[in-house]
Amino acid sequence: MEAKRYQPQPRVPDAQAEQPVIIVGNGPAGIQCLVELRRRGVTTPVKLFGAEHWAPYDRVKLSTFLFGSTDFDDLTNLPPELDDSVEHLVGLPVTGINPDRRWVEDRLGQRHHYSSLVLALGSDAHIPSIPGTTLSGVLRFRDMADAQALIARRLRSTHTVVIGGGLLGIEAAHGLCRFGTNVTLIQHADRLMNRQLDSEAASMVANNLREAGVDIRLNTSVRRIKGTERVESVVLADGSELPCDTVVFATGIAPRTALARKAGLKVANGIRVTASMQTSDPHIYAVGECAQFEDRVCGLVMPALQQARVAAGCLAGSDDSYTPVADSTWLKVLSLEVFSAGRFTDEERGMVHRSLVYHDSNAGIYRALMLRAGRLVGVVSVGSWAERQKVLNRIADGRRIQPWEVLRFRFTGELNEGGAGQVSEWPAATVICQCRGLSRRQLQDFMADGCDVATLKSVSGAGTVCGGCEPLLDSLCSGGAAAARKVPGATALAIISAVAAFVMALAFWLPSPAPASSVQNISLFEQFSRNGLWRQWSGYAVLAVSVLLLLMSLKKRFPKVPMGSFTGWRIAHAVLALLALLALYWHTGFSLGENLNRWLMLSFIGAAMVGITAALLTRLQVAMNGVGWLRQGSTWLHILVCWPLPTLLIFHIVSAYYF
């Protein structure tokens, strides 16, 4: 073994300790690191390098730019911290690092000394090793250059194949299906977004995309891309051939590690970092998609921004530590909102002890909670959900889900009384903007002098990444919760129900009509009740109204049933119920009777009482929070009590005519 002579490295000059902080990468993580440094009072000069020839832009909203609903100016939201104290070098990539002398070298060969270095290099699109990826017409979807190439290609493409059914693949397919372009989405798994959604939620997303015109192929993959110079077709795993002229890869990411590897830093799948986001060199930090903490590389913006805040805190002299939180995804495809966090996929169901599901197909709402040892560990939902941020905080704080919360969720789909409630009254430490890690207290500090939503977003950065917290910011700025849900016809429904309640109370308060002691003292009620024909017709009236009441419930179960709106049907339901009570009193005097007749009367009275309660709560929930789940529960109880009525009515009619 040949011995090597030790050569000590030149000592770093003391003056070099005053050199600026250099951040390589002006994407979301790099910008967040700069913002956090300034907010923590660090006034050291900063050099910010960006390899792209664009000003920093919001990559999360790149799909809206591809779709055409957002222009470039709307994507750029430069923070006020990007001021004269920051030397912003756009379009100038860093090509080398010397950790011993503490300098970086740019593409022009210039060297820049640093006191600390933050690598926010991001990632490249992962391109599978299949034949044909070098043909003209093969594109990817990762950055602004990719988006512009896709926009130019979209105008002349007749059939585009998007490979990858994850978040980027869905956004690309959605953005490309304009101007008459046929789009086929290829996914190797059995569902879209198989790492972010369970089967039910993925099915709803797939249906939404199909309605937009996207052809979805599941459980298959592309074996090769065919063509001479340009893309002509793709060959699928089963050997079938799909003609196309454009192929877009959205098949995951590959962390950019070449620069760190060349500098001698420890690298695995990503650049290895500690909980303080330090690399193997204590003066160099790595954050975002290029960093690997333990055995994990983050591919979402929320943990990348969290890592940037930790790195900035350590540079500011604090002892911040990175603790991975439950990954969350918020996506909006057309009008469909999709949200997931923690453990929720079909494959992870075996790792939880209990699943709670709320599904309202008429409203397009699906929500599933995963519990382990009574604590929330995962959630997936489709449809708008004002309580989304609160649920995400419940996963983070690890508090037990109480039995009444379980009951409320099963009936209403909400964990908390009143849903999201008033944001200004949430606990101060509750995180409002998950992407920026801003709590309610921090946001209200920004609002100290008073500001509107636009100003709050500008000064704090909240709501400028995924936009999912904008309704909460609006509620916080307005000083209240979201407007109470208006229920059409609730007042009329309450009035009719109050009259019905008065009729029932009066009927029970009045003495039951007793048989007269003589013919001269016989009452009007007894004259009709002893008349077989009148008694028969009053029974028919009760039967007819009861059948109509049961049939009217079909309007809610089948919204496409013609003849008016659900509101009108519900009011008519209440009017018929009042008439049924009057006819029932005329037929029986509210006498309970014996045997099956008694059970029939109890069913009638129980259905009426619970129905009146549900109707009054429908009006009450407009003005008060926290009664919605009671109204929902009373509605289901009303339906449950009505179940025996058809059978008991049949027995009553048969017994009356047979005997």
Side-chain angles (χ1 to χ4, degrees), residues 36-57:
E36 194 68 21
L37 281 173
R38 290 297 184 253
R39 288 179 180 172
R40 289 176 180 255
V42 177
T43 58
T44 306
V46 174
K47 284 188 177 182
L48 180 64
F49 285 84
E52 295 185 65
H53 294 277
W54 312 95
Y57 57 89

Side-chain angles (χ1 to χ4, degrees), residues 195-215:
R195 295 184 179 180
Q196 289 86 24
L197 301 178
D198 62 9
S199 298
E200 184 66 27
S203 176
M204 297 177 73
V205 172
N207 292 336
N208 191 266
L209 276 177
R210 289 189 179 102
E211 290 177 1
V214 178
D215 178 26

Side-chain angles (χ1 to χ4, degrees), residues 470-491:
E470 287 189 14
L472 303 181
L473 299 180
D474 183 58
S475 173
L476 188 63
C477 288
S478 63
R485 183 173 69 92
K486 295 182 179 180
V487 181
T491 301

Side-chain angles (χ1 to χ4, degrees), residues 53 57 75 101 113 147 205 228 246 282 381 404 450 476 517 553 557 574 610:
H53 294 277
Y57 57 89
L75 294 182
R101 295 176 178 268
H113 289 275
V205 172
T228 51
T246 305
S381 74
W404 53 87
L476 188 63
S517 56
S553 64
R557 303 291 167 240
V610 179

